[in-house]
Amino acid sequence: MRVSIAGRHLDITDALKSHVESRLVKVRNHFDKVIDADVVLSVEKHRHIAEITLHANGVRIHGKESSPDMYASVDTVVDKIDRQIRKFNERQRRFQARKGKEIFAQLDAEAPEAAAELAEPESMRIGNHLLVRETIALKPMSPVEAALQLELANESFLVFVNADTQKVNVVYSKDDATFGLIEPEH
């Protein structure tokens, strides 16, 4: 993991640098995919502000905290980021568990008893596939919020209710590192 530490209105001492690096080891224990960490330490009047941004395989995690002591600010922001990482990891585990129950599950034609086990009351057989109905709770949000949620969830699409239009929209990840938005016609 590459760590870059910058100071605004503050000289970065060796002790402060080693404290930041030792605290970031805790983050790495919970999230080993971290590519680099950008740390900005600044002082404004009597506030000591620590700001950390982690980049890991397309995921960006950011935290900012301030207190009267720089060491306390660093400790607090690392704890905040650690909580975000644990929350992200839990979402990933839930997604991986749900992956076994995909909308279109590929069925083995030689094992119809396995297909019967997968079939739910609200399912339909289409060729060698099983269409399984899943219900989701739609959360009202803006398209920008939906894109941010999609990026954190690391999924291919997100269905949501557009807070401005009150209509169901879909935001999806495109191959060229952009997002697409599907809106119904009026």
Side-chain angles (χ1 to χ4, degrees):
M1 168 173 63
R2 182 189 64 80
V3 178
S4 68
I5 301 173
R8 292 185 190 145
H9 310 290
L10 170 77
D11 291 329
I12 306 295
T13 63
D14 291 336
L16 188 57
K17 184 176 181 178
S18 66
H19 180 73
V20 169
E21 290 173 348
S22 67
R23 292 292 293 170
L24 285 176
V25 169
K26 176 182 178 183
V27 169
R28 189 163 190 187
N29 289 340
H30 287 133
F31 198 62
D32 58 350
K33 299 175 189 172
V34 175
I35 296 170
D36 61 299
D38 297 323
V39 181
V40 178
L41 306 175
S42 61
V43 177
E44 294 176 1
K45 293 189 179 180
H46 300 291
R47 295 182 329 163
H48 295 258
I49 302 167
E51 190 172 353
I52 298 177
T53 304
L54 299 178
H55 302 278
N57 293 349
V59 177
R60 184 181 155 275
I61 300 173
H62 179 77
K64 183 177 181 180
E65 283 296 322
S66 65
S67 73
D69 179 44
M70 184 59 74
Y71 290 92
S73 296
V74 169
D75 292 344
T76 307
V77 75
V78 168
D79 290 340
K80 185 180 205 177
I81 286 182
D82 191 48
R83 282 192 305 274
Q84 289 178 7
I85 288 172
R86 281 188 270 147
K87 189 175 181 181
F88 175 77
N89 285 340
E90 180 60 34
R91 276 192 226 139
Q92 289 291 93
R93 278 192 287 278
R94 281 193 311 233
F95 176 71
Q96 293 299 327
R98 192 177 72 197
K99 205 172 188 180
K101 184 182 174 183
E102 293 180 352
I103 296 175
F104 294 101
Q106 179 68 33
L107 299 177
D108 188 358
E110 298 171 6
E113 63 277 354
E117 289 176 15
L118 283 176
E120 294 180 350
E122 297 269 334
S123 63
M124 174 189 341
R125 189 167 178 73
I126 304 171
N128 288 337
H129 297 277
L130 184 66
L131 174 67
V132 179
R133 181 178 302 209
E134 289 187 1
T135 58
I136 58 172
L138 297 179
K139 179 183 175 192
M141 61 178 82
S142 72
V144 174
E145 287 178 62
L148 291 173
Q149 288 289 332
L150 179 66
E151 186 176 18
L152 276 177
N154 200 20
E155 295 184 14
S156 56
F157 67 95
L158 176 70
V159 180
F160 68 101
V161 173
N162 191 324
D164 299 330
T165 63
Q166 299 302 316
K167 294 188 178 192
V168 176
N169 289 183
V170 177
V171 65
Y172 61 97
S173 179
K174 296 173 107 177
D175 292 338
D176 60 349
T178 60
F179 293 107
L181 177 66
I182 299 173
E183 296 178 296
E185 287 186 5
H186 298 295

